[in-house]
Amino acid sequence: MSTETPTAAERSDFIREIVAADLREGRHTTIVTRFPPEPNGYLHIGHAKSICLNFGIAAEFGGRCHLRFDDTNPVKEEQEYLDAIEADVRWLGFDWGEHLHHASDYFEQLYAWAVHLVKAGKAYVDDLTADEIREHRGTLTEPGQNSPWRDRPAAESLDLFERMRAGEFPNGARVLRAKIDMASPNINLRDPVLYRIVHAAHPRTGDAWCVYPTYDFAHGQSDAIEGITHSICTLEFEAHRPLYDWLIENLPVPSRPRQYEFARLNLTHTVLSKRVLLRLVTEGRVRGWDDPRMPTISGLRRRGFPAEGIRDFAALIGVAKADSVVEIGMLEHAVRDVLNRTAPRRFAVLDPLRVVVEDYPEGQVEEVEVANNPEDPAAGTRTVAFSRELWIERDDFLEEPPAKFFRLAPGREVRLRSAYFITCREVVKDEAGRVVELRCTHDPSTRGGDAPDGRRPKATLHWVSAAHAVPAEVRLYDHLFSRPDPGADGDLFADLNPASETVLRGCRVEPDLAETPAGATVQFERLGYFCPDPDSRPGRLVFNRTLTLKDTWAKLQAQGRHDTPQGGRG
Ligand code: ATP
Ligand code: MG
């Protein structure tokens, strides 16, 4: 497959085909989709797939997409999550306009519709406990049994349901169930629970309610209220679709939405489950929901992934109906593609080794001109101070270089990018025998980084001027989990990658990096992409490594070692 991101016009998948046909054949005139997060955690890259799909379809077909919080379980939901979700969807580049909705906005209407079902003999209050309900449910091969309360008179159910709402009963004492078919081969149709008693304050409705609708009862009806035409969800809801349709058919709802399912995103070396991500946070395994190792949108943002790279990734993986696992390298590839175009280049030395240019005058400073992005002349140039004392990368020097090591070594000449050629004359060591300084000379005729006689050293090094560079902490990140399939052996947390974060202190970076705005990712030449971390304070710079420069995914791709991921174009 090509690694190019498909344009909107080229993009198609089974859902877009359905939408296009519905418009063409007049079943709809306006397409309305929604993204329906439950505010019980932060959004992750899997949600980004759903966001790009729902908002993307609305934009491509001239419709609209709502942001609807599926806030029906007050026990797990918090205002912090509501706020973070809105910020993340916006940051990804999408806008719901005035269509910010909450399932809780519809609690009164949903309750009225539940009453409607009771009065029509299509729902009843059940006094069985949760365990008893489970025992009565049957299995995939055996039908369920009717609850003894299934045929209680509608008036009695109505009275009990009202008293449930009034707060007369404790949690779990009773539920409201739809009366469908306990023998249905689809377990979701075996008298599913529509309302449960939960005495808990809700982030939006406070103490107004102590009965809350289940996902199944709230979701489709909320879709109908909002005039959603295509209710797009992940595959695990496929078996819920008959219930979704049953409720729409049996209620006086104002519109008839339809549900379509696609395969959720799975990524190697990480986990996309809010429950697991919450545990990583609460158990202190990471710095928080926005830890740069987390697959959350806020974590990827803090890591320096641009929103455009995430959107490109969503386009690249496409949408399909078959479950699959996408290599995390593909996400990194999409991000590198954007950063390679957009990230300005800077000099930073992560593990500094002092270089003294002996034949360069003390106190002299030259401003050398350096390209901001060799791939993009429009990005212009900047000047960087050069002086007698410099820092270079410790691993760019070896006292006894092996055959293929072309960088600095005793007696050898290398190019300092955009500055001069230098030659190592002497190695200074401390008492422990550790190299602490290199005494070098420079060739003044190579100013700017080229020799008039055309000689070309085999290596070009980055550098910073010791007197001008500023100190920084740099955090190197790697995959959160060591193995591609975390937890495959049963113990997920045992697969956490102990090297997922390495903190380097005492790095030295170009002084203007202190002014890098939040959210801007730069390339430290030869090292990778880096962005300032929000932990930075005046006088204490912190950078995160977004990605290294090496794109192993694209390389394997070029060698034809990869299968086309789900829905990708071949
Ligand atoms: P959890 O994974 O913790 O069970 P959830 O991911 O289903 O919860 P929701 O807030 O209900 O959390 O998800 C909002 C929307 O995002 C849903 O429509 C859901 O189908 C979609 N979604 C969630 N995870 C993924 C994923 N990995 N890939 C694609 N879409 C996803
Ligand atoms: Mg869910």
Side-chain angles (χ1 to χ4, degrees):
M1 68 175 270
S2 146
T3 61
E4 294 299 310
T5 306
T7 62
E10 290 165 357
R11 190 177 308 169
S12 196
D13 53 61
F14 77 98
I15 296 181
R16 284 174 165 90
E17 278 161 22
I18 290 167
V19 169
D22 284 347
L23 283 170
R24 199 171 50 237
E25 289 154 29
R27 280 183 292 278
H28 295 292
T29 49
T30 306
I31 299 303
V32 188
T33 57
R34 86 284 169 266
F35 173 65
E38 185 181 352
N40 62 350
Y42 280 60
L43 298 181
H44 54 58
I45 181 77
H47 295 115
K49 174 177 180 178
S50 174
I51 293 166
C52 291
L53 178 62
N54 281 292
F55 281 92
I57 286 180
E60 288 157 41
F61 292 93
R64 63 175 198 266
C65 180
H66 299 184
L67 176 61
R68 182 197 321 135
F69 288 105
D70 180 22
D71 55 347
T72 52
N73 183 3
V75 179
K76 293 189 175 164
E77 295 164 9
E78 289 176 25
Q79 188 61 42
E80 177 194 347
Y81 299 140
L82 288 148
D83 297 341
I85 289 169
E86 282 190 49
D88 287 348
V89 177
R90 264 190 226 289
W91 177 78
L92 271 177
F94 299 105
D95 186 3
W96 50 87
E98 58 212 29
H99 291 284
L100 176 63
H101 303 295
H102 301 78
S104 58
D105 298 340
Y106 314 133
F107 279 174
E108 204 60 61
Q109 175 67 77
L110 293 171
Y111 181 85
W113 280 336
V115 168
H116 175 96
L117 287 178
V118 175
K119 286 183 177 162
K122 290 174 182 166
Y124 61 98
V125 169
D126 195 347
D127 299 358
L128 294 184
T129 64
D131 283 342
E132 288 165 336
I133 289 180
R134 205 169 304 122
E135 283 158 24
H136 279 72
R137 191 180 296 141
T139 65
L140 288 173
T141 49
E142 283 167 54
Q145 296 161 35
N146 287 351
S147 162
W149 306 105
R150 194 176 199 263
D151 292 319
R152 77 188 341 160
E156 190 178 311
S157 280
L158 204 52
D159 172 60
L160 286 168
F161 189 42
E162 278 164 10
R163 289 163 60 196
M164 280 165 66
R165 175 180 182 171
E168 271 189 47
F169 311 117
N171 290 352
R174 295 189 158 82
V175 292
L176 182 76
R177 299 177 72 176
K179 193 188 282 188
I180 307 180
D181 179 7
M182 288 305 293
S184 171
N186 184 338
I187 292 188
N188 294 295
L189 293 179
R190 294 184 189 169
D191 292 10
V193 173
L194 305 182
Y195 267 88
R196 46 205 168 17
I197 301 171
V198 185
H199 289 274
H202 184 283
R204 288 178 57 85
T205 58
D207 293 322
W209 295 89
C210 62
V211 288
Y212 289 94
T214 54
Y215 170 89
D216 283 321
F217 190 63
H219 203 87
Q221 283 46 256
S222 301
D223 286 341
I225 291 169
E226 293 177 19
I228 302 298
T229 54
H230 298 77
S231 179
I232 303 167
C233 61
T234 38
L235 276 182
E236 66 271 25
F237 293 103
E238 194 169 21
H240 294 239
R241 186 168 5 110
L243 174 56
Y244 185 103
D245 292 341
W246 185 91
L247 289 165
I248 295 289
E249 273 155 33
N250 284 281
L251 286 169
V253 289
S255 77
R256 307 198 121 232
R258 293 197 52 157
Q259 177 184 300
Y260 300 92
E261 309 88 17
F262 69 100
R264 62 195 295 126
L265 171 68
N266 300 297
L267 263 189
T268 59
H269 293 285
T270 194
V271 173
L272 300 182
S273 151
K274 281 192 270 187
R275 192 178 46 80
V276 173
L277 298 178
L278 176 63
R279 263 191 73 193
L280 290 170
V281 173
T282 53
E283 294 181 16
R285 311 280 188 141
V286 292
R287 293 174 184 270
W289 279 103
D290 68 344
D291 184 289
R293 290 163 289 183
M294 291 279 271
T296 50
I297 308 291
S298 52
L300 299 174
R301 176 167 64 233
R302 184 169 172 185
R303 174 87 171 251
F305 282 31
E308 185 188 357
I310 296 173
R311 292 195 302 267
D312 286 352
F313 169 68
L316 203 54
I317 57 176
V319 177
K321 237 177 144 61
D323 269 315
S324 73
V325 182
V326 173
E327 288 203 34
I328 198 162
M330 194 166 162
L331 170 62
E332 297 168 351
H333 167 79
V335 167
R336 272 194 195 90
D337 247 21
V338 173
L339 293 180
N340 188 40
R341 266 190 289 114
T342 57
R345 274 51 166 176
R346 291 293 180 267
F347 289 156
V349 175
L350 300 189
D351 186 6
L353 174 60
R354 182 180 294 273
V355 164
V356 178
V357 187
E358 289 183 316
D359 57 351
Y360 194 85
E362 249 176 283
Q364 179 169 317
V365 177
E366 270 179 277
E367 298 290 338
V368 303
E369 196 175 6
V370 188
N372 284 330
N373 186 348
E375 311 256 326
D376 177 15
T381 60
R382 69 187 185 285
T383 56
V384 177
F386 182 88
S387 67
R388 187 170 191 264
E389 292 197 13
L390 311 168
W391 297 111
I392 64 163
E393 211 67 66
R394 179 168 286 279
D395 67 7
D396 278 338
F397 171 80
L398 276 183
E399 201 170 6
E400 290 166 34
K404 290 208 168 138
F405 186 89
F406 299 116
R407 293 169 271 164
L408 204 56
R412 184 179 290 170
E413 183 174 62
V414 297
R415 174 193 283 124
L416 293 182
R417 163 93 77 214
S418 306
Y420 292 102
F421 294 1
I422 58 164
T423 304
C424 177
R425 302 294 175 188
E426 190 191 334
V427 180
V428 182
K429 296 183 184 172
D430 63 10
E431 278 146 35
R434 183 176 146 92
V435 176
V436 292
E437 187 176 297
L438 303 177
R439 311 290 295 188
C440 299
T441 55
H442 78 300
D443 176 351
S445 76
T446 58
R447 187 175 197 276
D450 283 308
D453 64 4
R455 81 183 186 281
R456 296 164 59 92
K458 284 204 172 124
T460 300
L461 311 188
H462 61 277
W463 52 274
V464 291
S465 162
H468 300 87
V470 295
E473 172 179 320
V474 175
R475 299 172 182 167
L476 306 182
Y477 289 108
D478 196 358
H479 299 145
L480 183 55
F481 290 91
S482 315
R483 53 188 292 168
D485 50 353
D489 287 345
D491 187 356
L492 181 67
F493 281 54
D495 294 334
L496 278 166
N497 177 7
S500 61
E501 182 185 80
T502 308
V503 177
L504 304 177
R505 300 205 171 80
C507 310
R508 294 286 191 282
V509 306
E510 251 182 73
D512 75 337
L513 283 170
E515 268 92 62
T516 315
T521 304
V522 298
Q523 185 188 114
F524 289 176
E525 284 215 26
R526 301 177 60 230
L527 298 174
Y529 298 101
F530 294 78
C531 69
D533 188 82
D535 283 350
S536 293
R537 298 281 169 271
R540 179 174 176 257
L541 269 185
V542 180
F543 274 87
N544 297 325
R545 183 171 69 195
T546 309
L547 289 171
T548 61
L549 295 175
K550 203 166 59 193
D551 190 337
T552 44
W553 186 83
K555 202 165 152 196
L556 292 173
Q557 194 73 31
Q559 292 165 357
R561 298 248 308 274
H562 274 236
D563 297 333
T564 304
Q566 54 168 342
R569 56 236 49 250

